[in-house]
Amino acid sequence: MAHEALGYPQRETLSRWEREQARLKTSVIDWDTEAWQRDSDFAGLHRVGGVDISFIKGDDVRACASLVVLSYPELEVLFEECRMVNLTAPYVSGFLAFREVPFLVDAIQRLQKKDHSLMPQVLLVDGNGILHHRGFGVACHIGILTNLPCIGVAKKLLQVDGLKNNDLHKEKIQQLKLGGDTFPLVADSGTILGMALKSHNKSTKPLYVSVGHKVSLGTAIRLIQACCRYRIPEPIRQADIRSREYIRRTLERAITQESRQERDHEGMRKKQSPTLSLARSLEESTGEERPENPSPGLHS
């Protein structure tokens, strides 16, 4: 997709994105479709995926797309892939999927071709599902395109359809005492768009969990709670950690390569001027000034 140099998209682009969201939204399934989802202990669930995109500070084009797959219930990493990508779309509130989803879907498809036995049975997404301006967030988008059960997990409240981070909302957060405590996110329309979840006993800020695809909200809450060693569910946390580490290593390699190229360039420059280099070396070693007409011996 070609966009306006990552500037704000033209109206035609936004209209096309809205139509695409509306078309895909009709396929969203907001109930449990897998046998493991209906089991109280999630018997039959063995692999939970997490995706994330991390950015280079000060760079709105280059980023790292990360996919990890963890064992369940052990939550140990079975697979990881991190790749640097060049984003082609700008960030526009409500249209995050068009900026990030293509790279995450590509990662999932590569894994499917490489080793289908490692494919996640459910995917946790750093973002929203039906808790969205038009009821179709990034978790829904990925779910539809991959046909995987997906859950949206956001760290901040998206203030849509009457949801506000006001004093009443903050008071409800204060009433969440233990890990697993929740309260519903009820829109002005009366629809429950998601749940605020205290994911860990020591967490002071809730997570905002919403359905992405092929899972019920109740199951989503139970699974997110089961995947939290800390505030952020482990699949998303590991995807974030590993993508940031990959960026760090990539930048270090780039700096090292640049330094090596500079040294090589300097070496070539000295090789091209052997008389000058040798004369300068003699001058530095003896402290004597270089004669205007070097003796023939210097050319040997």
Side-chain angles (χ1 to χ4, degrees), residues 64-83:
C64 178
S66 174
L67 164 66
V68 299
V69 181
L70 275 60
S71 61
Y72 186 86
E74 299 84 3
L75 300 179
E76 301 297 332
V77 175
L78 301 174
F79 171 85
E80 70 169 290
E81 181 194 271
C82 295
R83 287 199 179 193

Side-chain angles (χ1 to χ4, degrees), residues 44-71:
L45 176 62
H46 305 294
R47 298 175 304 282
V48 181
V51 291
D52 185 56
I53 287 190
S54 294
F55 296 87
I56 297 175
K57 186 176 181 180
D59 189 335
D60 64 351
V61 174
R62 291 186 300 163
C64 178
S66 174
L67 164 66
V68 299
V69 181
L70 275 60
S71 61

Side-chain angles (χ1 to χ4, degrees), residues 164-195:
K164 295 181 180 179
N165 189 20
N166 53 20
D167 290 341
L168 177 59
H169 183 77
K170 294 174 182 177
E171 182 180 337
K172 290 181 178 179
I173 292 175
Q174 293 299 318
Q175 294 172 0
L176 301 176
K177 300 302 182 182
L178 300 174
D181 287 353
T182 63
F183 64 83
L185 303 170
V186 183
D188 283 346
S189 61
T191 304
I192 296 178
L193 298 179
M195 298 285 281

Side-chain angles (χ1 to χ4, degrees), residues 178-233:
L178 300 174
D181 287 353
T182 63
F183 64 83
L185 303 170
V186 183
D188 283 346
S189 61
T191 304
I192 296 178
L193 298 179
M195 298 285 281
L197 166 69
K198 184 179 178 72
S199 58
H200 191 274
N201 286 337
K202 295 182 179 180
S203 297
T204 58
K205 298 178 181 179
L207 297 175
Y208 297 97
V209 181
S210 56
V211 169
H213 185 49
K214 298 178 71 172
V215 64
S216 68
L217 183 57
T219 296
I221 291 293
R222 288 196 299 121
L223 181 59
I224 296 303
Q225 179 64 26
C227 288
C228 284
R229 290 175 173 169
Y230 306 94
R231 178 187 177 223
I232 306 301

Side-chain angles (χ1 to χ4, degrees), residues 21-214:
Q21 286 178 331
R23 181 182 68 83
L24 295 176
K25 180 182 176 180
T26 61
S27 299
V28 170
I29 297 173
D30 61 358
W31 59 88
D32 294 331
T33 61
E34 314 301 314
W36 62 262
Q37 295 169 332
R38 294 184 285 272
D39 186 273
S40 59
D41 296 320
F42 296 127
L45 176 62
H46 305 294
R47 298 175 304 282
V48 181
V51 291
D52 185 56
I53 287 190
S54 294
F55 296 87
I56 297 175
K57 186 176 181 180
D59 189 335
D60 64 351
V61 174
R62 291 186 300 163
C64 178
S66 174
L67 164 66
V68 299
V69 181
L70 275 60
S71 61
Y72 186 86
E74 299 84 3
L75 300 179
E76 301 297 332
V77 175
L78 301 174
F79 171 85
E80 70 169 290
E81 181 194 271
C82 295
R83 287 199 179 193
M84 297 303 297
V85 298
N86 290 326
L87 303 176
T88 58
Y91 171 75
V92 182
S93 180
F95 297 101
L96 179 65
F98 295 94
R99 178 171 168 84
E100 299 186 356
V101 162
F103 306 105
L104 301 176
V105 170
D106 284 349
I108 295 165
Q109 291 175 342
R110 281 192 297 270
L111 174 57
Q112 187 172 30
K113 292 178 181 178
K114 181 179 180 180
D115 191 345
H116 188 270
S117 67
L118 289 176
M119 279 290 288
Q121 294 166 272
V122 59
L123 198 63
L124 310 188
V125 181
D126 182 10
N128 292 292
I130 64 172
L131 174 53
H132 179 263
H133 304 77
R134 287 168 296 281
F136 193 77
V138 62
C140 298
H141 211 127
I142 294 178
I144 293 297
L145 295 184
T146 63
N147 198 35
L148 288 173
C150 280
I151 301 171
V153 185
K155 295 183 282 291
K156 295 182 179 180
L157 175 66
L158 184 61
Q159 301 183 62
V160 296
D161 200 356
L163 295 177
K164 295 181 180 179
N165 189 20
N166 53 20
D167 290 341
L168 177 59
H169 183 77
K170 294 174 182 177
E171 182 180 337
K172 290 181 178 179
I173 292 175
Q174 293 299 318
Q175 294 172 0
L176 301 176
K177 300 302 182 182
L178 300 174
D181 287 353
T182 63
F183 64 83
L185 303 170
V186 183
D188 283 346
S189 61
T191 304
I192 296 178
L193 298 179
M195 298 285 281
L197 166 69
K198 184 179 178 72
S199 58
H200 191 274
N201 286 337
K202 295 182 179 180
S203 297
T204 58
K205 298 178 181 179
L207 297 175
Y208 297 97
V209 181
S210 56
V211 169
H213 185 49
K214 298 178 71 172

Side-chain angles (χ1 to χ4, degrees), residues 12-27:
E12 292 79 2
T13 299
L14 295 178
S15 295
R16 185 175 73 251
W17 287 353
E18 283 191 22
R19 291 194 300 271
E20 180 72 359
Q21 286 178 331
R23 181 182 68 83
L24 295 176
K25 180 182 176 180
T26 61
S27 299

